[in-house]
């Protein structure tokens, strides 16, 4: 334990908090560009390799399974060694995976592609885990805003990435590579740079600093203070469970519809540039509203924000289902709303998890929850291809929208007031 931690004033802690956010913002701007590559063209490469759309959802499944394992490892490493090493390792692994995807197309090796896409998923998990770094030193009343600032930074790279599909395709072609690997060239560079920034600049480590501060504060509590009751402990566990369920349902709906959108568009003769535009705006919807969402969570609470997530996801699914197949504007609106609904669910769910966890187990719990978010997302990726092949894109979208409404009754399980931990 660092004896000088006790000398930190609230003003000094706030300064460390703000510096942490600045570093996370810069790294996430690069990380977002890496995130976009796999979402945009991964399913298209898979379809070309396997020659069928029914298994094209396997690309997102592999990516999300890789993200699940990485989320578990990042959470455990964070608990022991801090955010800096854990996030740097995660982004570095994602960069190596992107390079492997490129190599797999050169040698036309589906097994290498599968392994590389699995590894590439580490970057996706790290992008999401970085949102927790902003909360480590944040005041209790600004947790939602802290989460949102970490997430909104991803927008810069995430929006630019899909819209660079065609230019990066030209770069890949000039190097005698498959044009679809262009975004993965960008992704490899972006993830590696993000990892280097975190390793070099995320000092002092916000998680380790916050843990030491909280331990020392606990030691100064009155020994006669009333202990935490079993009821409060139960309430905390329920808050964590509900937060996890909100994130999982949002992830399932978003992944299922988003995964099949490029396949649906290409089947109806939309250009690759149009696919990039739709996915780019979808990712903007996922990340850009974050700053407003965080303020909304802090103002009206995570419960009401989560309910709005279910409603927005339902509307998105209905628009995607009933928009004419050749109507680009309808698809854009549906996918933007799909991203916004996911954003509302993720930030409100994350806030509930932060409210319900104690410092001693917080990072490990956060990582474990993201494991389940990614596992269910992987299942949604596989199932979406099968369902679309059997019933069509409209049926898939309607089913996803209806499923989103599960969020509403789920929230009745959560205490109406945050549990102090």
């Amino acid at each position: 334990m660092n004896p000088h931690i006790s000398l930190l004033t609230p003003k000094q802690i706030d300064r460390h908090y703000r510096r942490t956010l600045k570093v996370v913002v810069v790294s996430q701007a690069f990380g977002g560009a890496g995130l976009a590559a796999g979402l945009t063209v991964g399913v298209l490469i898979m379809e070309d390799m396997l020659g069928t759309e029914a298994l094209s959802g396997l690309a997102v499944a592999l990516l999300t399974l890789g993200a699940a394992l990485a989320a578990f490892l990042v959470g455990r490493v964070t608990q022991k060694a801090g955010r800096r090493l854990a996030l740097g390792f995660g982004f570095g692994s994602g960069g190596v995976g992107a390079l492997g995807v490129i190599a797999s197309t050169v040698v036309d090796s589906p097994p290498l592609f599968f392994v590389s896409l699995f590894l590439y998923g580490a970057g996706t998990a790290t992008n999401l885990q970085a949102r927790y770094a902003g909360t480590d030193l944040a005041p209790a009343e600004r947790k939602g805003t802290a989460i949102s600032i970490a997430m909104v930074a991803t927008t810069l790279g995430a929006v630019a990435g899909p819209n660079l599909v065609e230019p990066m395709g030209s770069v890949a072609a000039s190097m005698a590579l498959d044009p679809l690997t262009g975004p993965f060239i960008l992704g490899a560079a972006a993830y590696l740079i993000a990892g280097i920034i975190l390793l070099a600049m995320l000092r002092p480590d916000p998680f380790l600093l916050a843990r030491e501060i909280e331990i020392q504060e606990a030691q100064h509590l009155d020994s006669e203070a009333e202990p935490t009751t079993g009821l409060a402990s139960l309430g905390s566990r329920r808050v964590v469970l509900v937060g996890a369920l909100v994130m999982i349902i949002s992830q399932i709906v978003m992944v299922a519809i988003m995964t099949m959108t490029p396949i649906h568009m290409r089947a109806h003769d939309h250009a690759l540039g149009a696919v990039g535009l739709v996915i780019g705006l979808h990712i903007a919807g996922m990340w850009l509203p974050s700053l407003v969402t965080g303020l909304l969570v802090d103002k009206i609470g995570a419960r009401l924000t989560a309910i709005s997530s279910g409603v927005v996801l339902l509307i998105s699914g209905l628009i995607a289902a009933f928009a004419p197949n050749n109507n680009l504007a309808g698809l854009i609106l549906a996918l933007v709303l799909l991203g916004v609904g996911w954003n509302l669910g993720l930030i409100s769910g994350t806030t509930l998890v932060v409210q319900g966890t104690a410092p001693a187990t917080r990072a490990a719990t956060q990582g474990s929850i993201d494991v389940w978010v990614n596992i269910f997302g992987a299942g949604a990726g596989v199932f979406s291809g099968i369902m679309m092949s059997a019933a069509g894109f409209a049926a898939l979208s309607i089913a996803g929208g209806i499923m989103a409404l599960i969020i509403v009754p789920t929230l009745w399980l959560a205490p109406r007031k945050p549990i102090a931990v």
Side-chain angles (χ1 to χ4, degrees), residues 216-241:
Q216 292 205 359
E217 286 178 347
Q219 291 175 343
H220 286 83
L221 290 177
D222 186 350
S223 60
E224 297 182 358
E226 188 173 328
T228 301
T229 66
L231 181 60
S233 178
L234 175 61
S236 296
R237 290 196 295 271
R238 285 170 56 193
V239 168
V240 173
L241 176 61

Side-chain angles (χ1 to χ4, degrees), residues 45-123:
I45 294 176
M46 178 72 81
E47 184 182 27
D48 288 345
M49 279 190 172
L50 301 182
T52 175
E53 75 173 26
L55 295 177
S56 55
L58 183 59
V60 173
L62 287 167
L63 191 152
T64 50
L65 283 173
L69 176 60
F72 176 83
L73 294 175
V74 168
R76 290 305 187 274
V77 173
T78 297
Q79 196 71 50
K80 292 185 177 181
R83 303 250 184 229
R84 185 176 68 86
L85 292 177
L87 297 177
F89 164 77
F91 274 130
S93 299
V96 172
L99 293 173
V101 168
I102 297 169
S104 72
T105 63
V106 173
V107 299
D108 192 23
S109 171
L112 177 58
F113 177 75
F114 298 158
V115 173
S116 299
L117 203 60
F118 183 87
L119 188 59
Y120 174 80

Side-chain angles (χ1 to χ4, degrees), residues 27-45:
S27 67
Q28 289 296 88
F30 286 99
L35 167 71
L39 297 177
T40 307
V41 299
V43 292
L44 301 180
I45 294 176

